[in-house]
Amino acid sequence: MDEGVQVTPVEPGLRYEVFHTDCLARDVVDHVTSRWGVWVLISLRTNALRFYELRESIHGISEKMLSQTLRVLVQDGLVWREVEPTTPPQVTYGLTDFGREIGEPLRELFDRITTRLPQEYKPVS
Amino acid sequence: MDEGVQVTPVEPGLRYEVFHTDCLARDVVDHVTSRWGVWVLISLRTNALRFYELRESIHGISEKMLSQTLRVLVQDGLVWREVEPTTPPQVTYGLTDFGREIGEPLRELFDRITTRLPQEYKPVS
DNA sequence: CAGGATCCTATCCGATACTG
DNA sequence: CAGTATCGGATAGGATCCTG
């Protein structure tokens, strides 16, 4: 069981040790599930958004973290970035195929949590 | 569109502003997608595990973070905890219904990422 | 508008030591 | 075995200022 839990076989002989620290997939998972990555991906699920639209959609995010998060997601191939070199410049972000593929279960996760929780607020501390 | 993005209506008149900082659901999402929360939930998806089994399943986790993560997940109602008051004591952790409900899309997310990525390792900087 | 650069603080988290 | 307590370094992340 030790094996079954931490190893996902990809091909016979090839093993994907996602629970290992030096695994690429683990990095991507970490990025996707990062504090702000989740919300960026969910925000972009329906349509592409401008930078400031994202900032306003995601309550509490700072410009620094937004651009930082976006940069990582673009690097991972989850989000595309398009620059319109006008003045003022317009930059639009949207989900790639990979991003949409990832966003779906994320959205599902998100939905299951919200429908499950009552709308009461309690101090979590 | 501004509205549509950040508000998920639950009932007519009732709104669930998950993108807001003071939202309970947001806290749960944060816990689920926390650095170690993901791996704990995925590890427990098939069967319950003892503390040390979890520690050995999840490569790189410290005892401190494991117990801390577990405590939060138990509080959120995603994980149950059972103590067998023997010597030495045995503590077992498993997924509640809610936890299993959440673990599914998490598992899906995880699968889609691993199957998408080639088994090459690259330095992520 | 879309960010980069800087500074500074809160927290995360690992290491170590100790307990029932 | 299954933790808690404490310490200290690393990192995340907010605030502010600046630029094309």
Side-chain angles (χ1 to χ4, degrees):
Chain A
M1 168 224 59
D2 212 351
E3 285 260 300
V5 171
Q6 55 178 313
V7 173
T8 303
V10 174
E11 288 186 65
L14 269 179
R15 289 170 163 281
Y16 219 109
E17 315 219 353
V18 198
F19 283 55
H20 264 265
T21 325
D22 55 351
C23 174
L24 174 59
R26 174 144 172 185
D27 287 329
V28 176
V29 172
D30 280 347
H31 298 161
V32 168
T33 62
S34 70
R35 177 148 181 64
W36 301 112
V38 192
W39 309 111
V40 168
L41 291 173
I42 291 181
S43 293
L44 292 177
R45 98 198 106 84
T46 53
N47 41 39
L49 291 173
R50 299 267 304 276
F51 185 83
Y52 80 96
E53 291 176 315
L54 274 170
R55 189 191 44 205
E56 283 164 19
S57 291
I58 306 169
H59 190 92
I61 196 171
S62 66
E63 292 195 347
K64 176 184 168 183
M65 291 319 296
L66 179 54
S67 67
Q68 198 173 106
T69 303
L70 284 169
R71 210 179 311 140
V72 171
L73 295 179
V74 167
Q75 266 188 342
D76 288 346
L78 297 157
V79 169
W80 52 258
R81 173 194 145 108
E82 194 190 28
V83 185
E84 206 73 29
T86 58
T87 45
Q90 302 197 355
V91 183
T92 310
Y93 295 90
L95 294 187
T96 62
D97 286 348
F98 188 18
R100 211 164 296 112
E101 219 171 298
I102 295 310
E104 203 175 309
L106 216 53
R107 169 73 185 167
E108 181 67 23
L109 176 78
F110 169 86
D111 277 348
R112 293 194 182 188
I113 291 179
T114 53
T115 59
R116 182 88 179 203
L117 290 180
Q119 44 280 350
E120 47 176 282
Y121 283 55
K122 74 175 177 191
V124 175
S125 77
Chain B
M1 168 223 61
D2 212 350
E3 285 260 297
V5 170
Q6 56 178 314
V7 173
T8 303
V10 174
E11 288 184 68
L14 266 180
R15 290 170 163 280
Y16 218 109
E17 315 219 352
V18 197
F19 284 55
H20 265 265
T21 325
D22 55 350
C23 174
L24 175 59
R26 175 146 170 184
D27 287 329
V28 176
V29 172
D30 280 347
H31 298 160
V32 167
T33 62
S34 71
R35 178 151 180 63
W36 300 112
V38 192
W39 309 111
V40 168
L41 291 173
I42 291 181
S43 295
L44 291 177
R45 98 197 106 81
T46 53
N47 41 40
L49 291 174
R50 299 268 304 278
F51 185 84
Y52 80 96
E53 292 176 315
L54 273 171
R55 189 190 42 204
E56 283 163 19
S57 292
I58 305 170
H59 189 91
I61 196 171
S62 67
E63 292 196 348
K64 176 184 168 182
M65 290 320 295
L66 179 54
S67 68
Q68 197 172 107
T69 303
L70 283 168
R71 210 178 312 139
V72 171
L73 294 179
V74 168
Q75 266 188 342
D76 288 347
L78 296 157
V79 169
W80 52 258
R81 172 194 147 109
E82 195 189 30
V83 184
E84 205 74 31
T86 58
T87 46
Q90 304 198 354
V91 184
T92 309
Y93 296 90
L95 294 186
T96 62
D97 286 348
F98 188 17
R100 211 163 299 112
E101 220 172 296
I102 295 308
E104 203 174 308
L106 216 54
R107 169 73 185 167
E108 181 67 23
L109 176 78
F110 170 86
D111 277 349
R112 294 193 181 187
I113 290 179
T114 53
T115 57
R116 182 90 180 202
L117 290 179
Q119 43 279 349
E120 47 177 281
Y121 282 55
K122 74 175 176 191
V124 180
S125 81

